[in-house]
Amino acid sequence: MTLRIYNTLSRKKEDFQTIKPGKVGIYLCGPTVYKHAHIGHMVGPVIIDTIARYLKYNGYEVKFVNNITDIDDKLIHRAAELNTTVEKLAAEMTQDYFDNLEIMGVDTITEFPKATDYIEEMQNMIQALIENGHAYPLEGDVYFSAEADKNYGCLSGRKIEEMIAGTRVEANDKKKNPADFALWKKSRPGEPAWDSPWGPGRPGWHIECSTMSRKLLGDSFDIHGGGLDLMFPHHENERAQSECCTGKKYVRYWVHNGLMQASDAPGKVGGQHDRHGDVVADQEAQEANKLAGSKGAASVKELFAIHPAEIVRLFLLSTHYRSPIAFSDENIQEAAKGIEGFYRFFETFERITGISFYDLPSSEDRDQSVSLEGTPSEYFQQLSELQQRFLEAMDDDFNTGGAIGNLFELRSTLNALIHSHNLDGEGKEDQALVEALKTGACLLKELSNLLGVFRKPCKKDQEADDGLANQLMELVLEIRKEARESKNWDIADKIREGLAACQITVEDRPEGSLWRRG
RNA sequence: GGCGCCGUAGCCAAGUGGUCUAAGGCGGUGGAUUGCAAAUCCAUUAUUCCCCGGUUCGAAUCCGGGCGGCGCCUCCA
């Protein structure tokens, strides 16, 4: 089975083939660092991180670039609002972004270029575009001439004439053609500015990506990611600039992720776009729903205070990356209930084998995958089949939702082995079966790690280790144990119910009682 | 007005021409286990894939029409 990937450019799935054998260059449009990231900003990184993991697993060497836009109008406005400098604000928000990526388990990004570090290269590219007739300076600005690119519109599927006919392009502009866009913007007094052949100014929005990707990945590279909302105008313009400058095909596969929707956002979308609805209110509602505006979108950190990041990650991956995903506490909680079964399994596994699931060896290479032969043969056959189905799903345009389904089935298979041979009891003396269980657990680790989850103990589990709570629980469970031994069920049940009210679940097992939060 | 996406069980969600009498999760139901629970296991929960036509030996999957939801066209991950 070969890897297939949906390409926005062709609007269909294509066989994946890299430009350089064995190597993959990926560019993902990163954030403008003017405010704290919200969960929607994590979708792209999580998805591309998962793709990068999968490509590495398949033997590719991956170079993954994620830019930081640290100069932009929004940044200038926000810094003024907060009475700080653009540099300070950008530095702070960049750190916030890095923190969030770490918490989300995104660690495959190899470079984080900052726009302000590439001003000179951008100017060179702009100059080249002017020289070959694709751009023109005008009163301190420089514009790209959309008409000069005969392919303009090929990525987003639109035509210049139609866009102009749409009349929402402002006509009063001094630009030659309304579809033209700024490569360089003249600065006003007090704004951050760099010297240039066209006067002091700052780069336009799109040019940084063209410049930095070229510098770090070359004139042509394999995968370009970003949110669907960036397809136009950002990616279209980026593509046009780059191709007009280099004369080469810019990107092989354009990967656009669907946008997250706040399903419990204030102001439901009316669906009366072209009727007599209140257009302004409607737009606001859409904005809120998309999570892109400041309205109603909690920062990632606020979110992680409520939900473990790993669960959020799995929630993001439970639906296909190109589909929109409805984000709400309720939906995450529902997903969490299913995912927690994995943590129960890890506990059981450790009880049986004395080994932490997280310490198991697991292959990061498809060719060195865990060997799935042995007895019980039926069990191993199931493992093998689940592995195959998991990989087939991933091969099919990174169908993480389908892959996760197989992960759940794999868990059931392992639990069934434990159950049918009583491995969590006397059966654990059977070394061969315990080994079989370990093999299955290694497979689970190998596959789940591809999705970037279950790599280290979840924060929630670690919290349960705090000293005072442990001491208190030890005492309470000791008292309860005595009550149970004298068959004083009323007391025993009262304690358990009381703990349940404190969000503590007690589990009575033959060898003693366990407890956990939630 | 232009371009595009989507509509699968109570809910979330895979599957996009035959293996589909449609994965998986949540929820529900019955059973095993348990003092009772919890956890786990087993069974069960859509004869059907928004509606209507068509293509085909065969469609949830392709085509046409309708209805409903949404995105982009303007800063946006």
Side-chain angles (χ1 to χ4, degrees):
Chain A
M1 180 80 188
T2 48
L3 177 59
R4 282 160 60 75
I5 180 167
Y6 182 88
N7 189 356
T8 304
L9 206 53
S10 65
R11 317 260 159 182
K12 47 185 186 228
K13 289 183 199 171
E14 299 174 12
D15 285 350
F16 183 68
Q17 223 173 4
T18 59
I19 294 167
K20 292 181 203 152
K23 294 190 179 185
V24 184
I26 305 177
Y27 188 93
L28 171 67
C29 282
T32 301
V33 283
Y34 72 109
K35 60 177 184 184
H36 290 99
H38 64 250
I39 185 61
H41 292 115
M42 292 292 113
V43 177
V46 164
I47 282 154
I48 303 290
D49 176 67
T50 305
I51 290 176
R53 279 173 200 290
Y54 193 62
L55 292 172
K56 284 173 152 185
Y57 181 72
N58 283 285
Y60 291 101
E61 188 184 312
V62 178
K63 189 165 182 183
F64 177 2
V65 178
N66 184 15
N67 68 299
I68 302 288
T69 302
D70 60 348
I71 178 66
D72 172 89
D73 290 1
K74 290 194 290 296
L75 213 36
I76 294 169
H77 296 150
R78 191 89 209 287
E81 228 175 273
L82 298 174
N83 202 21
T84 183
T85 64
V86 167
E87 289 83 8
K88 276 188 195 160
L89 178 61
E92 193 187 323
M93 293 304 139
T94 300
Q95 190 53 52
D96 177 68
Y97 183 66
F98 288 162
D99 292 347
N100 294 148
L101 291 181
E102 191 188 334
I103 297 169
M104 283 305 273
V106 175
D107 58 10
T108 52
I109 299 171
T110 50
E111 324 254 350
F112 289 100
K114 291 191 175 93
T116 53
D117 290 338
Y118 290 81
I119 301 290
E120 197 186 326
E121 284 88 344
M122 291 189 223
Q123 292 184 355
N124 293 342
M125 196 161 190
I126 293 168
Q127 189 62 46
L129 284 166
I130 294 171
E131 281 166 16
N132 70 17
H134 288 97
Y136 55 94
L138 189 67
E139 298 167 22
D141 296 332
V142 180
Y143 292 98
F144 181 87
S145 174
E147 279 180 326
D149 174 24
K150 61 182 190 314
N151 292 325
Y152 194 82
C154 69
L155 177 63
S156 54
R158 49 192 89 205
K159 298 190 177 86
I160 295 174
E161 315 84 71
E162 283 170 1
M163 283 161 54
I164 295 165
T167 67
R168 287 177 74 174
V169 185
E170 289 187 23
N172 62 344
D173 229 343
K174 57 194 173 182
K175 293 181 287 189
K176 286 186 189 166
N177 185 309
D180 294 353
F181 54 91
L183 296 169
W184 187 260
K185 291 179 171 178
K186 180 170 124 184
S187 59
R188 280 174 292 202
E191 288 179 348
W194 287 262
D195 286 333
S196 82
W198 320 286
R202 60 177 182 274
W205 176 30
H206 319 293
I207 193 72
E208 64 172 280
C209 292
S210 288
T211 304
M212 297 190 288
S213 64
R214 186 182 191 195
K215 179 95 181 191
L216 297 168
L217 297 169
D219 289 350
S220 299
F221 58 94
D222 302 293
I223 296 175
H224 191 131
L228 204 53
D229 53 348
L230 293 182
M231 188 168 87
F232 188 91
H234 185 237
H235 291 160
E236 186 71 59
N237 293 353
E238 205 185 312
R239 190 208 71 15
Q241 291 163 353
S242 289
E243 295 187 351
C244 287
C245 180
T246 66
K248 296 179 191 160
K249 183 159 185 159
Y250 180 46
V251 166
R252 202 130 189 188
Y253 306 98
W254 287 90
V255 173
H256 287 106
N257 59 271
L259 304 180
M260 185 165 268
Q261 327 260 140
S263 60
D264 51 1
K268 292 228 162 64
V269 177
Q272 299 186 350
H273 298 252
D274 41 7
R275 294 258 178 130
H276 321 291
D278 180 346
V279 175
V280 176
D282 197 47
Q283 276 177 353
E284 273 177 18
Q286 282 181 37
E287 186 71 1
N289 249 18
K290 206 176 69 178
L291 274 176
S294 54
K295 314 163 190 78
S299 76
V300 180
K301 279 180 180 156
E302 285 166 328
L303 178 73
F304 289 155
I306 307 169
H307 306 286
E310 184 162 86
I311 285 175
V312 175
R313 178 167 178 135
L314 225 32
F315 172 71
L316 294 185
L317 294 175
S318 68
T319 171
H320 190 90
Y321 75 86
R322 274 187 281 113
S323 308
I325 179 165
F327 179 83
S328 71
D329 280 341
E330 204 187 338
N331 290 351
I332 292 191
Q333 252 150 24
E334 196 186 288
K337 282 184 201 161
I339 294 161
E340 269 157 19
F342 286 101
Y343 302 132
R344 298 291 84 74
F345 169 75
F346 301 156
E347 288 161 12
T348 309
F349 179 78
E350 188 161 349
R351 214 156 48 226
I352 296 169
T353 61
I355 300 169
S356 163
F357 175 82
Y358 300 102
D359 293 336
L360 283 174
S362 73
S363 172
E364 289 177 12
D365 190 332
R366 192 169 185 161
D367 292 337
Q368 288 161 25
S369 179
V370 60
S371 163
L372 298 175
E373 281 169 24
T375 47
S377 60
E378 201 176 304
Y379 164 78
F380 278 100
Q381 254 166 36
Q382 263 175 311
L383 295 188
S384 177
E385 193 179 309
L386 287 168
Q387 178 189 38
Q388 199 183 326
R389 273 161 50 192
F390 181 101
L391 297 176
E392 273 171 13
M394 290 299 282
D395 277 338
D396 183 14
D397 194 30
F398 312 106
N399 178 4
T400 50
I404 288 171
N406 291 305
L407 233 42
F408 274 99
E409 283 191 72
L410 178 53
R411 186 189 73 194
S412 296
T413 303
L414 300 181
N415 275 328
L417 182 79
I418 292 169
H419 183 264
S420 62
H421 297 94
N422 193 24
L423 296 186
D424 200 8
E426 285 131 41
K428 76 171 64 155
E429 302 307 322
D430 188 329
Q431 290 300 318
L433 283 172
V434 170
E435 280 308 311
L437 175 65
K438 279 190 203 168
T439 304
C442 286
L443 177 64
L444 176 60
K445 187 153 192 274
E446 181 176 325
L447 299 182
S448 56
N449 285 185
L450 281 176
L451 301 178
V453 295
F454 308 147
R455 292 191 292 155
K456 42 188 175 205
C458 187
K459 200 172 147 218
K460 200 175 165 191
D461 288 357
Q462 288 174 324
E463 274 171 7
D465 288 338
D466 94 75
L468 180 62
N470 276 347
Q471 251 179 308
L472 286 172
M473 284 306 298
E474 206 176 305
L475 174 66
V476 171
L477 289 182
E478 181 59 32
I479 293 169
R480 183 162 173 273
K481 188 182 169 198
E482 284 171 26
R484 293 182 72 220
E485 277 165 359
S486 55
K487 299 204 188 298
N488 193 340
W489 307 124
D490 284 351
I491 296 284
D493 290 350
K494 195 169 178 183
I495 291 172
R496 191 172 58 199
E497 282 157 24
L499 290 171
C502 309
Q503 302 297 308
I504 289 174
T505 304
V506 174
E507 199 174 311
D508 294 326
R509 304 197 50 83
E511 66 278 9
S513 298
L514 303 174
W515 67 279
R516 65 170 169 273
R517 292 169 197 265

